[in-house]
Amino acid sequence: MSNTPASKTFTLTDDDNGQSWQYPVLEGTAGPGVIDIRKLYADTGHFTFDPSFTATGSCKSRITYIDGEEGILMHRGYTIEDLAEKSNFMEVAYLLLYGDLPNQKQRSKFDHDITYHTMVHEQINYFFRGFRRDAHPMAIMCGIVAALSAFYHDSLDIWDPDQREISAHRLIAKIPTLAAMTLKYSLGQPFMYPRNDLSYSENFLYMCFGLPAEPYRINPVLANAMDKILILHADHEQNASTSTVRLAGSSQANPFACISAGIACLWGPAHGGANQEVLEMLDQIGTKDRIPEFIEKAKDKDDPFRLMGFGHRVYKNFDPRAGVLKKACDEVLNDLGINDPRLELAMELERIALEDEYFVERKLFPNVDFYSGIILKAMGFPTSMFTVLFAVARTVGWISQWKEMIEEPALRIGRPRQLYTGPAKRSYVPVEDRD
Ligand code: CMC
């Protein structure tokens, strides 16, 4: 890893013998500096202890910046609000992958490169048949994306920049096709081949909701909302699934396997699975008069219930993505003429929670998942597909972060250490002598 010049140092002193060591503080473009402790173990014989990584920078990255206190999210220096309003998903994908917004020529080439890879190997159709029809779509996604490495042998050499690029394009291009196939499979409907005359988001909606028996009319409001949803979920710095992708990639595993690992991590309800849980929670609450009961449950430490869609490890302010999504949600519901009582319920829940001392004190604000479920439901997606949509968008972030890591001059396998609290050394006792 190349070194960022240190602006100052931190001194660590052993209180027992007075010995001290100095560690450089590396400064990034924004955000807190980091104390470079790579020599700490060699110097002191100690590890640091930071389970769940609340104070650990695991890498250098030029892709995404979050200021959780201020509620700021930027990709390559552009705010998420700016990108969501003025850009589109293909441009954002290019930005994340290559570092700058594309000019017109680069944009057309990128569109072409992604479009060129939207179809999947025909044999993958048969692969689907091995899954039960009622399998959770995320279970299918984990398996089918990992299986891509069995189909595209020609782009698995991670040390070849061209192969890395082709794999990245393949993943970005094929993930919506696979996601749509997962939906179709669960519905018992035929798979729809991609249409390369449509935009990324239009094509995705077409593959999800089109039928061979009749023409599919693109609703521009829905296509625009889908594009926004994809932009908002595209990357989020070193979150759990991205760190999973990086850790898997650090062993030099192929990118398809790494993205599959990311999908598995995203599935959990504390991460990408929360959007599904929000909707289920709103259904469980049912009516506004029951909100206080559920607020009390969320505050009760003996009750495992949490207010889903609330709180974030990094944001201690409004998640900037939630505001954009709420607006898109209004547009979609208005266009479709849907009067979903869940939206009103969500708004009331948000109002009550934001006035409650428990949530205020802990700086628990609505996150991106709070409104995404309502909008996705209105668009016609079953609840079980919500996290899959998150995975479609996040694939761009994962593969950009993976590429950045592989391109670091000195890639080393990730290997956290631990505080061992198990038994000390003991002798083996033959089974007949055990109590
Ligand atoms: N409802 C009730 N209490 C909460 C909630 C919640 N949703 N979130 C955090 N708390 C409390 C928590 O009990 C703790 O209280 P105390 O200090 O009294 O023990 C305090 O707030 C700090 O919480 P934490 O668990 O230490 O925070 P964390 O950073 O480990 O967890 C989180 C972050 C997102 C997992 C958590 O806020 C949560 O479970 N939220 C609900 C699930 C959710 O919406 N997840 C989507 C995250 S955004 C999408 C993504 O990026 O994947």
Side-chain angles (χ1 to χ4, degrees):
M1 197 188 275
S2 60
N3 265 330
T4 304
S7 58
K8 61 175 187 175
T9 53
F10 252 71
T11 304
L12 185 71
T13 306
D14 184 332
D15 288 339
D16 283 346
N17 59 18
Q19 194 179 355
S20 64
W21 303 269
Q22 289 203 317
Y23 295 99
V25 177
L26 309 179
E27 299 290 349
T29 324
V34 297
I35 306 167
D36 180 353
I37 53 155
R38 278 175 286 179
K39 290 200 187 129
L40 183 88
Y41 177 58
D43 287 348
T44 68
H46 288 89
F47 297 138
T48 55
F49 186 59
D50 185 23
S52 314
F53 310 122
T54 52
T56 294
S58 60
C59 62
K60 281 184 190 174
S61 181
R62 294 177 297 277
I63 301 176
T64 292
Y65 172 71
I66 302 175
D67 183 334
E69 297 300 325
E70 297 296 324
I72 293 170
L73 166 61
M74 295 192 302
H75 297 314
R76 307 275 193 190
Y78 298 98
T79 66
I80 192 68
E81 291 88 347
D82 223 13
L83 292 172
E85 194 192 320
K86 300 174 189 156
S87 188
N88 59 54
F89 185 61
M90 273 300 91
E91 265 198 357
V92 173
Y94 186 97
L95 177 70
L96 292 172
L97 210 48
Y98 299 112
D100 284 305
L101 287 168
N103 60 29
Q104 271 188 7
K105 205 169 148 209
Q106 291 163 329
R107 174 66 212 276
S108 324
K109 181 172 181 319
F110 187 62
D111 276 351
H112 172 268
D113 290 347
I114 297 299
T115 304
Y116 180 75
H117 287 293
T118 49
M119 281 174 66
V120 291
H121 193 291
E122 195 64 12
Q123 195 71 16
I124 288 178
N125 295 355
Y126 302 106
F127 210 89
F128 267 88
R129 292 187 196 163
F131 291 102
R132 283 172 55 136
R133 292 266 175 195
D134 62 355
H136 193 287
M138 284 298 275
I140 300 183
M141 290 300 283
C142 291
I144 214 97
V145 172
L148 292 181
S149 37
F151 288 91
Y152 301 105
H153 298 137
D154 59 338
S155 65
L156 296 184
D157 179 356
I158 65 161
W159 302 120
D160 177 341
D162 291 338
Q163 293 198 30
R164 283 203 297 272
E165 174 134 313
I166 291 170
S167 279
H169 290 172
R170 279 183 168 148
L171 275 156
I172 296 168
K174 292 181 200 308
I175 202 91
T177 312
L178 295 173
M181 288 169 87
T182 305
L183 173 62
K184 290 297 193 189
Y185 188 72
S186 70
L187 297 173
Q189 292 179 2
F191 297 141
M192 299 294 283
Y193 285 105
R195 266 184 54 192
N196 290 348
D197 60 320
L198 300 176
S199 76
Y200 192 89
S201 296
E202 289 171 346
N203 176 48
F204 182 47
L205 290 175
Y206 162 75
M207 289 188 293
C208 286
F209 301 116
L211 291 168
E214 51 194 61
Y216 178 73
R217 255 183 236 102
I218 305 286
N219 177 334
V221 176
L222 297 198
N224 180 42
M226 177 49 68
D227 215 63
K228 280 204 169 51
I229 291 169
L230 295 177
I231 292 174
L232 294 176
H233 290 84
D235 192 52
H236 213 224
E237 205 224 58
Q238 307 311 321
N239 56 85
S241 57
T242 303
S243 299
T244 301
V245 170
R246 277 189 179 255
L247 196 56
S250 76
S251 78
Q252 303 172 24
N254 76 70
F256 301 107
C258 296
I259 300 302
S260 166
I263 293 175
C265 178
L266 185 73
W267 192 358
H271 194 2
N275 50 15
Q276 172 171 346
E277 304 253 338
V278 170
L279 218 68
E280 286 165 4
M281 174 189 74
L282 291 174
D283 286 340
Q284 204 190 347
I285 298 175
T287 47
K288 283 186 196 170
D289 57 307
R290 294 192 66 203
I291 291 176
E293 182 192 326
F294 281 84
I295 295 269
E296 286 315 307
K297 270 167 77 62
K299 288 156 54 173
D300 181 355
K301 294 291 165 210
D302 296 325
D303 190 326
F305 176 81
R306 280 191 165 197
L307 216 52
M308 299 314 287
F310 258 78
H312 198 276
R313 170 61 61 81
V314 181
Y315 293 119
K316 303 301 165 200
N317 202 324
F318 267 92
D319 179 339
R321 302 168 299 173
V324 180
L325 213 53
K326 187 168 176 223
K327 195 162 160 258
C329 191
D330 286 341
E331 283 167 17
V332 167
L333 295 189
N334 275 340
D335 184 77
L336 297 177
I338 292 176
N339 185 10
D340 189 340
R342 278 177 293 213
L343 181 62
E344 251 185 65
L345 193 60
M347 282 160 59
E348 184 63 2
L349 184 62
E350 178 185 330
R351 190 188 64 76
I352 295 179
L354 290 179
E355 283 174 2
D356 192 293
E357 204 179 315
Y358 173 96
F359 292 89
V360 174
E361 241 176 37
R362 290 168 180 75
K363 299 186 178 172
L364 300 170
F365 291 89
N367 60 48
V368 69
D369 288 324
F370 195 64
Y371 287 104
S372 65
I374 298 173
I375 190 169
L376 293 174
K377 194 82 187 168
M379 290 168 102
F381 287 101
T383 320
S384 60
M385 278 296 288
F386 293 178
T387 317
V388 173
L389 288 152
F390 196 154
V392 169
R394 187 55 59 86
T395 294
V396 166
W398 289 328
I399 201 66
S400 304
Q401 299 266 353
W402 173 85
K403 179 171 170 280
E404 182 181 68
M405 181 186 70
I406 301 290
E407 287 169 359
E408 275 285 343
L411 172 68
R412 290 185 80 193
I413 188 166
R415 177 59 167 92
R417 303 305 300 260
Q418 63 169 10
L419 177 66
Y420 176 69
T421 56
K425 188 179 177 200
R426 50 184 170 164
S427 302
Y428 181 83
V429 180
V431 67
E432 57 279 14
D433 297 341
R434 288 177 215 153
D435 297 337

